[in-house]
Amino acid sequence: MQNSATPTHCPYCALQCGMNLTPAADGTVEVTERADFPVNRGALCGKGRTAPAVLSSRLRLTSPLVRSGDGTLVPASWDEALDRVAAGLARARAGHGPDAVGVFGGGGLTNEKAYALGKFARVVLGTSQIDYNGRFCMSSAAAAGMRAFGLDRGLPFPLEDVPRTGCVILVGSNPAETMPPALRYFSELRANGGTLIVVDPRRTRTAEQADLHLAPRPGTDLALALGLLHLVVAEGRVDEEYVRERTSGWEEARAAAMAHWPEYVERITGVSVPQLREAVRMFCAPKAAMVLTARGPEQQSKGTDTVGAWINLCLATGRAGRPLSGYGCLTGQGNGQGGREHGQKADQLPGYRKLTDPVARRHVAEVWGVDPDSLPGPGRSAYELLDALGTDIRALLLMGSNPVVSAPRAAHVEERIRSLDFLAVCDVVLSETAALADVVLPVTQWAEETGTTTSLEGRVLLRRRAVTPPEGVRSDLQVLHGLAARLGADRGLEKGFPTDPEAVFEELRRASAGGLADYSGITYRRLAEENGVFWPCPAPAGADGGAPGAAAGGETGPVHPGTPRLFLDRFATEDGRARFAPVAHRAAAEEPDEEYPLLLTTGRVVAQYQSGAQTRRVAELNAAAPGPFVELHPRLAARLGAAEGDPVAVVSRRGRAVAPARITGAIRPDTVFMPFHWPGEGRANTLTNPALDPTSRMPEFKVCAVRVEAVEP
């Protein structure tokens, strides 16, 4: 184990906060401030401060586990475990074809692991059936960004621009709990004289900081954005010159917005007309402004159109592709951005290339040394893949995800997972999903391995190895190398799956060269020296498409500085113009009725993260957030006869969850809220609706019809 401080990054959210790690003599790891990293400037939330706790051998897996004859998981050697995985995947492929094997990844995997997993699925397994839990994160924002701008990067500007703008509309985001170090940017915005508008059906800790809080009925964010755009037009606030010179499709979008007059929008959303007018005044008054969205508007069956409507608001007012202005998405997972750029997503190849593009296929196939025609086409999206388990898909390799807790309609997903012929899970801990596996492979985690991640800013970062992993643990790259050797030894496939992360990154550079997400000018050395590099960052001219080492010293041309701010000169569309989206409000997939008269929305709490597989093992975090709860308005609680802490049942068409009542006036009377970090009877995703956005294939986590019942204690 090393004994000096290593500068690295937090394993959790997409801020990827900088921190220093120092191993101690007693085996613990100390976290200290790393003030040189500009995003968090030394600040850490409780999750970041306690992240090293999960490195303890007491809390994590240290030996492969295999399913024994009596149905229990028992320790096994790595050779036995890998042999079983290879045999299980090969059996399904031989019996039912390559698409009978599925691969499910995670938004916490490094770029190197995400890249290698996508390559493994398509080259070794030959399956099209690969997707990842990042589909549940910002896929709607990605689809809307691609449609409007021709390129998807969470934030097209660095976070340092936020305090310097004039107004921010923050839609469906609660950074005070989801990424606390980011809250300072909004506090600094207000201290600088700017204004903050928060759109959220709950009066969250973030909403309490706002100059204006709009609390729409869940599922009506699209109508709200259209109502604001209607007022922009009616009040003569459109930037006509900008619209004429830098956009297309305005007339159609304008006509759609004008059908959403303020009183109509008030009836749909519950947001009053005076509040709508005040929001427009605040947004249009300063020279620069931003709209930032998160899961609230995105995790809907109309999420792509909803984000598109908020982008329309930016375009109509000239607030995109200009300094200190624009639309951005606050990515959730640690590598949610990079995870989809390099091949984990069902329809994408490395470099954010389309799997259906013949030129893209040829480029990547050449890097991989395979025939382009051998690459499978696009497969199922995440929920559709999970829904097909046990029927079309008979075996599954899963890395870094816990869908038994995190997927919508989770009881059904658990049933589908149980019906598989074979399941292999690579994870740090024995998650609820891993507990169902035929083979569990214990893998290294953030502080035990080197690799890159891409933050919500589009900043590629080097996460350094700081401690030695326990004996018996291997990296995901070693797992893929071992499986490639077993499944394709006759073709020498293991040689295409190096175990050194820098070697994988060098190949990723070549594969991404010329793509939208071009990393070819980025090297480990640059990342270490520059505190990260913003993509796109092409290799120097004449560097042979990003050959290894070409950009390190700039010997073939000037080194590209990276691109902190996108779209200042032109958008990434063919004609350089941003495209308006002609969208109209439509109802959620499931609206309340007599049997289910309320709306459920879900989210996170500050002390837990995602499915809680790791944070629920940390004593300090569990003390702060020990279990699920149901947030109720006092009027609803009175109708139920429920007091604070009483168990209540939330029932949807998909199931029933029970948790203690938390009574607060900070939520709408027609809405209940549950955090989704816990399994068991309080599992919020037992209730959620898997209705999918037709473009992004995002499930409708944020709104479904429910009823609430008192439960006898």
Side-chain angles (χ1 to χ4, degrees), residues 473-492:
V473 172
R474 295 185 183 180
S475 73
D476 293 288
L477 295 179
Q478 289 174 309
V479 169
L480 294 176
H481 177 89
L483 292 176
R486 286 163 172 80
L487 291 166
D490 57 327
R491 293 176 283 157

Side-chain angles (χ1 to χ4, degrees), residues 380-393 409 412-413 416-417 419 690:
R380 294 175 172 88
S381 70
Y383 179 76
E384 293 166 303
L385 189 157
L386 294 171
D387 189 41
L389 299 181
T391 53
D392 294 339
I393 299 173
R409 197 185 174 195
H412 172 73
V413 169
R416 300 318 314 145
I417 289 172
S419 72

Side-chain angles (χ1 to χ4, degrees), residues 93-186:
R93 189 173 60 179
H96 306 280
D99 277 356
V101 181
V103 176
F104 200 86
L109 299 181
T110 63
N111 290 317
E112 292 80 0
K113 292 190 282 189
Y115 171 83
L117 187 62
K119 178 181 177 182
F120 179 83
R122 296 179 173 106
V123 173
V124 178
L125 299 176
T127 182
S128 67
Q129 301 303 302
I130 175 172
D131 212 80
Y132 81 130
N133 63 15
R135 175 78 68 169
F136 302 155
C137 179
M138 55 179 290
S139 58
S140 293
M146 289 293 290
R147 184 169 65 185
F149 308 128
L151 184 138
D152 154 45
R153 196 180 84 185
L155 293 182
F157 40 73
L159 277 167
E160 66 185 43
D161 285 1
V162 171
R164 300 162 57 208
T165 193
C167 178
V168 172
I169 302 180
L170 189 60
V171 189
S173 177
N174 182 18
E177 300 206 49
T178 59
M179 46 181 65
L183 193 62
R184 68 166 58 180
Y185 289 97
F186 303 103

Side-chain angles (χ1 to χ4, degrees), residues 426-438:
C426 302
D427 211 330
V428 173
V429 297
L430 191 66
S431 70
E432 287 72 23
T433 305
L436 304 179
D438 297 283

Side-chain angles (χ1 to χ4, degrees), residues 30 138 169 394 422 458 498 511 676:
E30 180 185 10
M138 55 179 290
I169 302 180
R394 310 300 287 267
F422 181 80
F676 60 80

Side-chain angles (χ1 to χ4, degrees), residues 134-338:
R135 175 78 68 169
F136 302 155
C137 179
M138 55 179 290
S139 58
S140 293
M146 289 293 290
R147 184 169 65 185
F149 308 128
L151 184 138
D152 154 45
R153 196 180 84 185
L155 293 182
F157 40 73
L159 277 167
E160 66 185 43
D161 285 1
V162 171
R164 300 162 57 208
T165 193
C167 178
V168 172
I169 302 180
L170 189 60
V171 189
S173 177
N174 182 18
E177 300 206 49
T178 59
M179 46 181 65
L183 193 62
R184 68 166 58 180
Y185 289 97
F186 303 103
S187 301
E188 291 170 4
L189 165 74
R190 299 183 70 215
N192 291 340
T195 55
L196 175 64
I197 302 170
V198 171
V199 179
D200 198 303
R202 304 165 62 226
R203 188 163 182 80
T204 63
R205 288 172 54 195
T206 303
E208 288 173 354
Q209 307 298 312
D211 297 282
L212 177 64
H213 173 214
L214 307 179
R217 182 175 177 269
T220 64
D221 307 270
L222 175 53
L224 178 62
L226 289 164
L228 296 179
L229 183 55
H230 177 109
L231 286 170
V232 165
V233 176
E235 295 176 2
R237 299 180 184 271
V238 175
D239 188 331
E240 301 285 358
E241 181 181 359
Y242 173 93
V243 168
R244 183 171 58 253
E245 294 182 355
R246 298 204 61 187
T247 72
S248 62
W250 167 234
E251 290 305 319
E252 294 86 351
R254 179 185 182 279
M258 295 314 290
H260 297 76
W261 59 95
E263 292 76 14
Y264 173 59
V265 170
E266 180 182 75
R267 289 198 300 272
I268 294 171
T269 65
V271 177
S272 70
V273 172
Q275 284 186 308
L276 295 173
R277 293 189 184 279
E278 177 64 5
V280 168
R281 185 197 67 77
M282 290 169 62
F283 185 67
C284 293
K287 181 179 179 181
M290 299 174 178
V291 172
L292 305 177
T293 67
R295 306 303 80 74
E298 297 163 16
Q299 288 181 328
Q300 298 185 28
S301 60
K302 53 182 181 293
T304 302
D305 285 354
T306 301
V307 173
W310 288 103
I311 292 174
N312 286 353
L313 181 66
C314 290
L315 295 177
T317 54
R319 306 303 176 88
R322 283 179 168 171
L324 306 181
S325 287
Y327 163 77
C329 168
L330 298 178
T331 310
Q333 295 190 78
N335 198 32
Q337 180 72 49

Side-chain angles (χ1 to χ4, degrees), residues 506 509 513-514 518-523 525-526 530 533 536-562:
E506 291 298 317
R509 291 176 59 210
D518 190 334
Y519 284 29
S520 61
I522 304 174
T523 64
R525 193 181 90 183
R526 285 193 66 184
E530 300 176 31
V533 177
C537 182
D544 192 26
E555 61 271 26
T556 58
V559 171
H560 193 285

Side-chain angles (χ1 to χ4, degrees), residues 12 51-65 73 398-403 405 424-437 439-446 448 470 473-474 476 608-618 677 679:
Y12 292 118
V54 188
L55 297 170
S56 170
S57 297
R58 295 181 296 102
L59 299 181
R60 48 94 61 85
L61 297 167
T62 57
S63 170
L65 303 174
L73 286 170
L398 185 146
M399 278 189 174
S401 186
N402 188 17
V405 178
V425 173
C426 302
D427 211 330
V428 173
V429 297
L430 191 66
S431 70
E432 287 72 23
T433 305
L436 304 179
V439 178
V440 183
L441 301 176
V443 292
T444 52
Q445 52 180 311
W446 64 292
E448 299 164 348
V473 172
R474 295 185 183 180
D476 293 288
Q608 301 289 353
Y609 180 73
Q610 301 299 83
S611 74
Q614 296 185 45
T615 52
R616 285 188 276 110
R617 287 166 167 78
V618 179
H677 309 292

